[in-house]
């Protein structure tokens, strides 16, 4: 059977000859019939010269050199490929990193519209997908225990912090997000009654405007709390921690999208304001170091955690993506030795998102969440320190099913970043690193930001949390658990071929 394929050489031959023929024709008509035809002559002269340049002068693109201007069509079509696939060809469950079906669930929750669907699930029911195990005896919702989690209780500190919903907005800096996005999320979570992580963007000017509860993140560049040599400035940390909105501090060791590499803010996104808030120059990428200057061994890493606890007088957590199991265990052993524990550990799965990261890191480094979480839980139990701290996690946990699964596998609460971006209306255009986000979430360009109306988006964020909580309790009740504390790994069905357990 003949193969249906584009015969590029033949098409190119006709196009290249056609340009010359039409140039001659318009020229002839312009000279002999009417000078108006010279508009056509001018157009085809430009195409002819461009084609000549592509085929005989430039040396970078083999396709253009071999076939001329028609090869440009390939580049153009390729550049709109993601949009074509998203709008026309991709099915509801195949887009990445989040399928349309997954995103639609968040959009509906954010719009507060009925999220029921008809006929049947679009997901696979094969031997790879993790599912929750329901009970024959679901709990009556009025008998369920309200969720509550207190950070800092293990150390008995004065400034403990309690949350009463198991969801937290994961770190996203002002810089990665534009000001309207930050303020919309901050206002929404204030209404919903959950905290928001500031990300590593330095002084949280826009987060503070909305007076929501904040977790201030110290990234490896320590924007906002930094000495000129890159070490921690304890006085600045103490000042920031005394703000009533700042409830906890998080030390970021690594992030799932780029573990082993520091943060990255591309130069396109560095406005005058960001350059001031972070104390960095404009016009060049801002690359944070891959580790805290103070932290090169388990010993000095634990000492650093202790210093942050002492300067801030707040609960202090650490965030990391798991790499080496042995390194993690050694860190825990050192904590035991020094009798110093962070108030929480947050595990970021390798599938985590980012404003910008090298593709080689995004695709290749770090342990995915549903592998890392049971491993961390096991090590904490084996080392007999599980009751010394709380365990949080993140990694595509944007819906209640995934969130409950993570909690059954050991997490006390869950973080999500992209869930909240979808609540704001993110269309997964994958342009967070370019300042061109079409819905203005990750752009500082006023042209795109003007689409983000803060009161409207804040309402959507609050709706998202409200509906997450509703579904969360419904699912929890179906497992037969009265409280999240009763959730155990046996409430999850993990088929032996699930990617997270497959050898
Ligand atoms: C736009 C964007 C900006 C982010 N900025 C930070 C950051 O400043 N610090 C950090 O630790 N993680 C950052 N992250 C990672 C998230 O906090 C989170 O760990 C990760 O995306 C996994 O959660 P998710 O799958 O729910 O998005 C960012 C993620 C996104 C999408």
């Amino acid at each position: 059977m003949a193969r249906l394929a584009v015969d590029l050489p033949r098409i190119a031959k006709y196009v290249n000859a056609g340009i010359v023929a039409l140039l001659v024709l318009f020229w002839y008509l312009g000279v002999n019939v009417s000078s108006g035809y010279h508009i056509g002559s001018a157009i085809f002269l430009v195409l002819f010269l461009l084609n000549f340049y592509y085929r005989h002068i430039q040396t970078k693109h083999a396709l253009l050199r071999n076939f001329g201007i028609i090869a440009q069509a390939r580049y153009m079509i390729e550049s709109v490929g993601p949009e074509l696939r998203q709008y026309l060809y991709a099915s509801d469950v195949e887009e990445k990193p989040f399928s349309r079906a997954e995103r639609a669930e968040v959009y509906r929750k954010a719009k507060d519209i009925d999220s029921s669907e008809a006929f049947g699930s679009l997901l696979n029911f094969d031997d790879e997908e993790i599912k929750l195990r329901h009970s024959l005896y679901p709990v009556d919702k009025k008998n369920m225990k309200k969720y509550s989690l207190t950070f800092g209780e293990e150390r008995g500190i004065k400034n403990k912090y309690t949350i009463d919903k198991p969801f937290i907005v994961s770190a996203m800096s002002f810089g990665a997000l534009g000001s309207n996005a930050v303020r919309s999320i901050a206002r929404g979570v204030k209404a919903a009654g959950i905290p928001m992580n500031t990300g590593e963007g330095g002084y949280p000017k826009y987060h503070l405007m909305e007076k929501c509860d904040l977790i201030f993140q110290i990234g490896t560049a320590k924007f906002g709390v930094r000495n000129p040599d890159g070490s921690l400035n304890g006085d600045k940390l103490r000042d920031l921690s005394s703000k009533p909105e700042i409830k906890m501090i998080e030390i970021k060791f690594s992030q799932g999208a780029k573990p082993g590499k520091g943060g990255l803010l591309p130069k396109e996104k560095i406005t005058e304001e960001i350059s001031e808030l972070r104390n960095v120059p404009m016009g060049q990428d801002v690359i944070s170091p891959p580790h805290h200057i103070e932290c090169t061994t388990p010993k000095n890493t634990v000492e650093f955690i202790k210093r942050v606890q002492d300067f801030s007088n707040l609960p202090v957590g650490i965030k990391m993506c798991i790499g080496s199991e042995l390194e993690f265990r050694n860190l825990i052993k050192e904590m035991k030795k020094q009798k110093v524990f962070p108030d929480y550990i947050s595990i970021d799965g390798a599938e985590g998102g980012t404003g910008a990261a090298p593709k080689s890191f995004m695709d290749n480094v770090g342990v995915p969440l549903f592998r890392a979480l049971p491993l961390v839980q096991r090590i904490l139990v084996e080392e007999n320190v599980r009751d010394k701290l709380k365990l949080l996690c993140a990694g595509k946990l944007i819906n209640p099913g995934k969130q409950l699964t993570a909690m059954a596998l050991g997490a006390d609460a869950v973080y999500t970043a992209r869930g909240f971006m979808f609540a704001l209306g993110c269309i997964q255009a994958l342009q967070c690193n370019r300042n061109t986000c079409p819905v203005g979430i990750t752009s500082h360009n006023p042209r795109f930001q003007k689409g983000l109306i803060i009161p409207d988006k804040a309402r959507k964020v609050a709706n998202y949390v409200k509906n997450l909580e509703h579904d969360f309790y419904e699912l929890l009740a179906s497992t037969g658990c009265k409280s999240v504390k009763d959730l155990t790994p046996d409430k999850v069905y993990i088929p032996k071929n699930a990617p997270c357990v497959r050898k």
Side-chain angles (χ1 to χ4, degrees):
M1 199 167 61
R3 200 171 140 252
L4 189 65
V6 176
D7 187 349
L8 191 60
R10 178 182 284 199
I11 298 174
K13 205 161 81 187
Y14 290 138
V15 169
N16 296 338
I19 290 173
V20 176
L22 286 165
L23 173 59
V24 172
L25 177 68
F26 276 103
W27 190 268
Y28 176 83
L29 294 172
V31 170
N32 295 304
V33 180
S34 156
S35 60
Y37 283 104
H38 277 317
I39 295 174
S41 319
I43 293 170
F44 283 100
L45 182 62
V46 170
L47 289 179
F48 173 78
L49 291 174
L50 203 59
N51 210 15
F52 186 84
Y53 169 76
Y54 285 152
R55 298 184 62 198
H56 303 292
I57 299 179
Q58 68 84 29
T59 50
K60 279 193 186 149
H61 303 285
L63 211 56
L64 289 174
R65 203 165 168 84
N66 290 344
F67 301 106
I69 204 161
I70 188 67
Q72 273 293 7
R74 184 180 188 280
Y75 294 121
M76 274 157 55
I77 293 169
E78 201 173 55
S79 73
V80 293
E83 284 81 3
L84 290 179
R85 282 191 290 278
Q86 186 173 44
Y87 293 118
L88 294 177
Y89 305 121
S91 84
D92 284 348
V93 289
E94 68 186 16
E95 272 177 82
K96 294 216 160 111
F98 294 90
S99 71
R100 200 190 319 247
E102 287 172 301
R103 287 185 284 128
E105 184 177 351
V106 181
Y107 298 149
R108 292 169 83 101
K109 284 184 164 43
K111 290 181 189 157
D112 205 15
I113 53 180
D114 179 17
S115 65
S116 61
E117 302 250 314
F119 208 65
S121 171
L122 295 174
L123 301 186
N124 295 326
F125 287 80
D126 51 22
D127 60 352
E128 296 203 343
E129 278 197 11
I130 300 179
K131 304 286 177 198
L132 294 168
R133 289 180 190 273
H134 67 287
S135 165
L136 262 181
Y137 314 105
V139 177
D140 194 333
K141 273 183 78 185
K142 63 177 184 306
N143 294 331
M144 297 191 74
K145 290 207 190 105
K146 184 95 179 89
Y147 176 88
S148 174
L149 191 72
T150 300
F151 296 92
E153 63 183 359
E154 296 84 354
R155 284 196 291 137
I157 55 172
K158 189 168 126 247
N159 298 321
K160 300 179 199 49
Y161 179 57
T162 300
I163 54 173
D164 63 8
K165 296 179 182 62
F167 327 107
I168 307 177
V169 181
S170 196
M172 288 180 284
S173 61
F174 167 59
L177 300 186
S179 55
N180 282 11
V182 170
R183 291 190 59 191
S184 302
I185 299 179
R187 195 176 295 183
V189 299
K190 164 93 182 154
I194 66 164
M196 168 179 194
N197 190 309
T198 62
E200 53 184 313
Y203 186 78
K205 173 178 161 187
Y206 291 104
H207 299 81
L208 283 169
M209 274 182 194
E210 304 296 333
K211 309 242 168 290
C212 63
D213 288 358
L214 294 174
I215 301 167
F216 177 76
Q217 188 181 66
I218 307 177
T220 52
K222 301 194 181 63
F223 297 124
V225 290
R226 171 191 172 94
N227 287 320
D229 67 353
S231 61
L232 179 73
N233 183 314
D235 294 334
K236 285 188 183 165
L237 177 61
R238 195 181 295 116
D239 277 0
L240 254 176
S241 308
S242 66
K243 294 197 178 301
E245 294 82 4
I246 305 222
K247 304 293 184 191
M248 300 206 277
I249 305 292
E250 180 172 281
I251 305 168
K252 171 183 165 180
F253 288 126
S254 59
Q255 174 184 343
K258 44 188 164 182
K261 181 117 188 99
L264 164 66
L265 190 64
K267 59 179 180 301
E268 291 77 12
K269 296 185 67 173
I270 301 176
T271 60
E272 236 175 275
E273 191 180 27
I274 290 171
S275 125
E276 253 172 53
L277 286 174
R278 296 197 183 200
N279 197 13
V280 293
M282 291 182 66
Q284 59 194 62
D285 293 347
V286 174
I287 301 169
S288 307
H291 64 89
H292 289 271
I293 186 174
E294 296 88 344
C295 304
T296 50
T297 62
K299 182 170 181 293
N300 59 26
T301 301
V302 176
E303 284 164 359
F304 181 65
I305 296 171
K306 174 84 169 82
R307 281 185 64 215
V308 175
Q309 287 177 333
D310 290 346
F311 279 124
S312 68
N313 275 320
L314 293 175
V316 173
I318 60 175
K319 168 173 180 169
M320 63 172 70
C321 175
I322 294 296
S324 149
E325 183 176 335
L326 182 65
E327 275 181 6
F328 181 76
R329 190 183 286 274
N330 287 343
L331 185 65
I332 300 296
K333 282 184 189 293
E334 183 63 31
M335 288 175 187
K336 281 167 69 177
K337 193 164 155 203
Q338 295 190 30
K339 297 195 177 57
V340 170
F341 295 91
D343 298 283
Y344 70 83
I345 297 180
S346 180
I347 300 300
D348 212 34
E351 64 275 55
T354 175
K359 184 166 161 44
S360 47
F361 276 79
M362 258 198 271
D363 288 347
N364 299 302
V365 190
V367 178
L369 182 64
F370 285 156
R371 267 277 207 189
L373 194 55
L375 183 151
V376 166
Q377 169 78 348
R378 175 171 54 77
I379 292 177
L380 294 177
V381 171
E382 283 171 6
E383 294 296 332
N384 216 8
V385 299
R386 185 61 186 87
D387 58 350
K388 302 279 186 208
L389 46 82
K390 304 293 187 300
L391 185 55
L392 310 188
C393 66
K396 299 180 84 175
L397 305 175
I398 67 169
N399 65 44
K402 290 269 174 59
Q403 292 165 345
L404 208 76
T405 302
M407 294 181 74
L409 295 177
D412 295 302
V414 293
Y415 262 136
T416 174
R418 286 170 292 179
F420 284 93
M421 291 176 75
F422 291 135
L424 291 181
C426 164
I427 57 167
Q428 196 167 273
L430 309 181
Q431 296 175 22
C432 311
N433 57 340
R434 284 195 249 148
N435 207 26
T436 53
C437 171
V439 288
I441 295 174
T442 59
S443 172
H444 302 288
N445 185 334
R447 179 165 165 257
F448 299 120
Q449 285 228 8
K450 80 174 194 308
L452 275 187
I453 309 295
I454 298 174
D456 175 65
K457 298 299 178 191
R459 193 160 15 87
K460 292 196 165 125
V461 167
N463 284 341
Y464 175 50
V465 177
K466 180 185 85 175
N467 290 313
L468 276 182
E469 190 182 23
H470 172 269
D471 284 14
F472 184 85
Y473 277 111
E474 295 262 304
L475 288 175
L476 184 61
S478 79
T479 63
C481 296
K482 278 192 183 154
S483 140
V484 287
K485 300 219 164 77
D486 303 333
L487 271 175
T488 43
D490 62 342
K491 295 290 174 196
V492 181
Y493 164 66
I494 306 181
K496 67 176 186 320
N497 280 333
C500 67
V501 289
R502 208 163 36 206
K503 292 274 180 250

